């Protein structure tokens, strides 16, 4: 019996992109269901009733939610081309840094992105400190996983994509080649990898989307 | 392996530290518990967890591992003999990880909200949100336990220790607010589970008594009030 794999995603979600890449790296055929999060489908709400978010992977009718959980599920279910390191300590480090990326790094970069000009300097300090920690993880390695792309590269994939979009909108360079030589090099290698390259959402659409988001955050509060 | 080969940097009242202690106990892993003073962090802690500077940190040989869920999975993978903490089936593992993320990111912060609530209205609102979350966890328990006593089935597993570590603070929250959080009329399965969990030998003695945690709550609140006073002068 053929396996049935479906992926609920949006055109722009960086979390869903992790799963698109993972399925591609594993060579798994699947059906894509694009969601409009302002008008969620009954299926999405049925498969992810707690959060109502994407991505959701549905494998033979059973839903898996939360992108990092899905990545581990994909890796454990389709064991070829492993995404996570085999060694338990290395695996722990990958999980640790993926959590750091989502909990600390992403938040600090977002805080900078939506900061008013007067708050930008302070916000930049946190973002740069967090980026430095990630830079150090790359020393001596082409990818976070080593010679090939793995779990942590997919988890950090948004750095390669979204950061340059935010930089363009803010007119502020965060990941510059001088301060972050390893990260800059990684971005290049990651962006160029065939499996990764063909999946990027359209850049011009992304710029408009994030520009609008930023304007909404920076808009002065309506006076009472 | 010598006990000194496995060290746990921790603080007794931390539910995240307790979680790791449960895992070590369940696997019968000899270890040295090194209590940490979080107000004056030791060189060892700062060196072992430079990114977050928090407990727990497990040091295995000379390798430090941080973040309680990462540590628990590491323990399960290195000491892979029975009992297994995570289920073996990938889908069940994904379900357990999903609920662990929900418990840590969405549910337990609600207990903190309750602890910080100052008036009756916000206390009641916090408890209401907690109940909504507990209803979801009640269903998760029924699905996961498959008629047995624990999330892990017949034996204590990953989700049991992920949720169970918070029971001391839940009880302390109940004493502090005078409101019931784990209510047998609302979440009977979880109430039964909580009693079984608390009396398990791997758990016994790990979580501080609720009264000790209540005193900590009072201390936090006093400190917060003093800081608020100081900043408003």
């Amino acid at each position: 019996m053929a396996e049935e794999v479906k992926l609920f995603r949006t055109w722009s979600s960086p979390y869903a992109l992790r799963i698109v890449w993972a399925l591609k790296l594993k060579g798994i055929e699947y059906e894509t269901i694009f969601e409009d999060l302002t008008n969620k489908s009954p299926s999405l709400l049925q498969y992810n009733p707690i959060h109502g978010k994407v991505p959701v992977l549905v494998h033979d009718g059973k839903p898996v939610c939360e992108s990092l959980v899905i990545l581990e599920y994909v890796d454990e279910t389709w064991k070829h081309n492993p995404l996570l390191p085999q060694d338990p300590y290395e695996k722990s480090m990958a999980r640790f840094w993926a959590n750091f990326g989502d909990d600390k790094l992403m938040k600090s970069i977002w805080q900078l992105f939506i900061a008013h000009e007067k708050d930008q300097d302070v916000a930049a300090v946190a973002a740069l400190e967090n980026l430095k920690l990630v830079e150090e993880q790359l020393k001596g390695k082409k990818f976070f996983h080593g010679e090939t792309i793995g779990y942590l590269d997919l988890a950090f994939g948004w750095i390669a994509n979204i950061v340059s979009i935010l930089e363009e909108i803010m007119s502020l360079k965060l990941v510059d080649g001088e301060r972050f030589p390893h990260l800059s090099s990684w971005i290049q290698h990651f962006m160029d990898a065939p499996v990764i390259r063909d999946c990027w959402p359209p850049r011009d659409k992304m710029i408009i989307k994030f520009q609008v988001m930023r304007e909404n955050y920076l808009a002065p509060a309506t006076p009472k | 392996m010598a006990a000194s080969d496995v060290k746990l940097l921790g603080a007794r009242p931390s539910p995240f530290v307790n979680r790791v202690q449960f895992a070590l106990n369940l696997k019968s892993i000899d270890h040295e518990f090194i209590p940490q003073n979080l107000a004056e962090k030791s060189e060892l802690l700062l060196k072992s967890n430079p990114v977050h500077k928090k407990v727990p940190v497990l040091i295995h040989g000379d390798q430090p591992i941080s973040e309680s869920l990462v540590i628990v999975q590491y323990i399960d993978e290195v000491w892979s003999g029975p009992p297994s903490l995570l289920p073996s089936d990938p889908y069940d593992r994904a379900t357990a990880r999903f609920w662990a993320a929900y418990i840590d990111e969405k549910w337990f912060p609600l207990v903190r909200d309750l602890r910080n609530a100052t008036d009756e209205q916000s206390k009641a609102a916090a408890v209401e949100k907690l109940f909504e979350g507990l209803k979801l966890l009640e269903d998760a328990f029924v699905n996961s336990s498959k008629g047995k006593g624990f999330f892990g089935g017949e034996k204590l597993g990953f989700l049991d220790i992920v949720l169970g570590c918070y029971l001391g603070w839940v009880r302390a929250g109940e004493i502090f607010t005078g409101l019931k959080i784990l209510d047998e009329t609302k979440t009977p399965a979880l109430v039964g589970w909580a009693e079984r969990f608390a009396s398990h030998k791997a758990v016994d003695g790990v979580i501080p008594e609720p009264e000790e945690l209540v005193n900590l709550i009072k201390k936090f609140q006093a400190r917060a009030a003093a800081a608020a006073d100081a900043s408003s002068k």
Side-chain angles (χ1 to χ4, degrees), chain B residues 58-227:
Chain B
L58 188 81
I59 307 179
H60 184 200
D62 56 3
Q63 290 180 326
I65 301 116
S66 308
E67 300 286 281
S68 64
L69 294 181
V70 175
I71 297 172
V72 168
Q73 292 183 85
Y74 174 82
I75 289 171
D76 204 26
E77 286 157 16
V78 172
W79 290 271
S80 53
S84 280
L85 298 177
L86 271 157
S88 49
D89 172 72
Y91 187 74
D92 293 339
R93 291 160 73 86
T95 304
R97 287 177 175 136
F98 171 87
W99 284 113
Y102 171 80
I103 288 164
D104 276 2
E105 289 161 29
K106 298 277 187 279
W107 187 76
F108 187 61
L110 299 174
V111 177
R112 279 208 284 262
D113 287 347
L114 179 62
R115 192 180 75 196
N116 295 334
T118 42
D119 59 83
E120 295 312 307
Q121 206 181 10
S122 43
K123 279 182 196 172
V127 171
E128 196 45 50
K129 281 212 175 131
L130 272 168
F131 280 147
E132 282 165 20
L134 282 171
K135 267 200 333 237
L136 296 174
L137 292 171
E138 173 95 345
D139 287 341
F141 173 76
V142 169
N143 291 332
S144 183
S145 61
K146 301 183 174 55
K148 304 281 192 272
F150 299 105
F151 282 91
E154 275 186 14
K155 298 208 170 120
L156 231 64
F158 180 74
L159 260 188
D160 296 283
I161 63 181
V162 167
L163 184 58
C165 70
Y166 292 125
L167 286 174
W169 284 101
V170 165
R171 189 74 196 102
E174 288 179 333
I175 296 172
F176 186 69
T177 58
L179 298 168
K180 233 178 173 176
I181 300 175
L182 267 176
D183 187 335
E184 59 274 3
T185 65
K186 299 199 172 165
T187 55
L190 280 180
V191 170
W193 163 81
E195 281 164 25
R196 284 189 292 277
F197 180 85
S199 50
H200 192 283
K201 65 174 172 15
V203 171
D204 192 31
V206 171
I207 303 181
E209 289 302 312
E211 288 70 30
E212 189 183 325
L213 300 178
V214 171
N215 284 336
L216 277 175
I217 296 178
K218 291 182 179 159
K219 259 204 214 157
F220 289 145
Q221 290 223 336
R223 233 187 290 161

Side-chain angles (χ1 to χ4, degrees), chain A residues 3-64:
Chain A
E3 273 181 319
E4 193 195 50
V5 182
K6 294 188 205 197
L7 177 65
F8 286 78
R9 60 173 292 201
T10 59
W11 68 272
S12 62
S13 162
Y15 304 104
L17 214 45
R18 291 171 173 169
I19 315 306
V20 171
W21 289 323
L23 293 171
K24 233 178 164 192
L25 282 165
K26 300 268 188 180
I28 295 159
E29 304 231 333
Y30 65 99
E31 180 195 344
T32 300
I33 294 128
F34 281 101
E35 285 285 327
D36 170 4
L37 295 181
T38 63
N39 186 15
K40 294 174 185 177
S41 74
S43 292
L44 178 64
L45 296 173
Q46 177 207 333
Y47 285 131
N48 191 357
I50 313 268
H51 303 298
K53 286 180 175 176
V54 295
V56 181
L57 185 83
V58 183
H59 183 202
D60 289 338
K62 296 200 287 190
V64 185

Side-chain angles (χ1 to χ4, degrees), chain A residues 105-155:
Chain A
L105 178 63
M106 204 184 277
K107 285 203 179 115
S108 60
I109 291 179
W110 184 253
Q111 287 305 317
L112 173 59
F113 181 63
I114 60 171
H116 289 274
E117 216 177 300
K118 61 180 176 65
D119 304 318
Q120 264 182 355
D121 283 341
V122 172
V125 168
L128 289 168
E129 269 171 16
N130 289 334
L131 281 166
K132 187 144 179 289
L133 291 169
V134 173
E135 165 86 3
E136 281 161 19
Q137 292 311 302
L138 272 170
K139 291 216 168 105
K141 293 196 279 188
K142 183 176 177 188
F143 294 108
F144 290 98
H145 190 60
E147 277 304 299
T148 57
I149 288 172
Y151 168 91
L152 192 52
D153 300 280
L154 301 189

